[in-house]
Amino acid sequence: GTKRRVVGATNMNANSSRSHAVFCLRLEVHKGEDTERPVVMFSKTLLVDLAGSERQSKTEAAGARLKEGCAINRSLSVLAMVIRSLADLASTEKKKGGGRQAGGGDFAPFRSSKLTYLLRDSLVGNSKTALIAAISPAASNAPETLSTLRFAASVKTIKTAAKVNMDSKDKLVLELKQQIALLKAQAGEGG
């Protein structure tokens, strides 16, 4: 990961991260008595290090560094827009007391950037998501710190719920095996 990480010097930071870093870990658990068709459960963990937003007036970036800063800011803006959309959807669903209406046109623009497309599973549905925000105590960085804290507050409004990830066929087989075991136990008690 470190070899692929892109860093560069700006006036704000000698080792400024010039890209977002994403580390994905996928775990699979194969279990069950049936060795020919074990039950497969899986989990995916994403560790994401987002490059910080940049103000050109502070970094005094030019050329390639300026283009990198623009790309970083664009992807962070799209991420903020997606999170704002999800927060709005959550508050609308809460007020209506139910799910989204069919054909309502409400959506979060995950496909607007590679970053948001990659993070879509972590932001909606079947996941547990945590955010660690790095802020600066320096008075000169107060606007960036305030912006980061606002972003973190908006992320808190998104509610997700994790559940066991299992192939639907495996889930059905497991449920049927449990039902058979229950019926055998009931038949043994009654007979």
Side-chain angles (χ1 to χ4, degrees):
T2 305
K3 291 178 184 175
R4 296 190 54 116
R5 186 168 181 252
V6 180
V7 295
T10 67
N11 280 358
M12 288 185 72
N13 187 348
N15 292 313
S16 177
S17 180
R18 308 312 297 159
S19 63
H20 306 303
V22 179
F23 176 75
C24 181
L25 176 66
R26 182 179 164 94
L27 298 174
E28 286 189 10
V29 176
H30 299 257
K31 68 178 194 174
E33 293 105 33
D34 187 357
T35 55
E36 288 187 26
R37 184 163 171 77
V39 175
V40 178
M41 294 185 293
F42 57 92
S43 172
K44 183 169 73 170
T45 300
L46 290 177
L47 301 174
V48 183
D49 179 16
L50 298 175
S53 63
E54 299 189 350
R55 297 184 191 272
Q56 195 278 334
S57 61
K58 284 189 173 185
T59 62
E60 296 182 10
R65 295 285 174 256
L66 180 60
K67 286 182 181 179
E68 291 167 350
C70 289
I72 290 166
N73 288 344
R74 181 185 176 280
S75 66
L76 291 173
S77 294
V78 172
L79 178 60
M81 182 174 57
V82 165
I83 287 171
R84 198 174 313 113
S85 296
L86 292 171
D88 290 346
L89 286 171
S91 67
T92 302
E93 288 175 9
K94 196 178 201 181
K95 287 178 187 174
K96 289 181 181 178
R100 289 183 224 164
Q101 294 177 349
D106 295 332
F107 72 98
F110 288 108
R111 293 186 179 196
S112 296
S113 82
K114 291 177 186 176
L115 177 66
T116 54
Y117 189 72
L118 184 66
L119 296 178
R120 73 190 181 283
D121 291 337
S122 299
L123 296 172
V124 295
N126 185 12
S127 67
K128 286 284 185 185
T129 303
L131 171 74
I132 299 171
I135 57 175
S136 171
S140 61
N141 293 328
E144 287 83 2
T145 296
L146 188 59
S147 175
T148 300
L149 291 173
R150 282 190 190 121
F151 177 77
S154 67
V155 171
K156 284 176 52 175
T157 63
I158 299 171
K159 302 295 180 206
T160 58
K163 60 184 182 229
V164 175
N165 294 313
M166 187 182 297
D167 184 275
S168 59
K169 291 176 188 174
D170 290 339
K171 187 175 182 180
L172 179 61
V173 168
L174 184 64
E175 288 171 357
L176 291 173
K177 283 182 179 181
Q178 289 172 345
Q179 190 174 11
I180 289 169
L182 177 67
L183 291 171
K184 282 182 178 179
Q186 288 174 351
E189 288 173 6

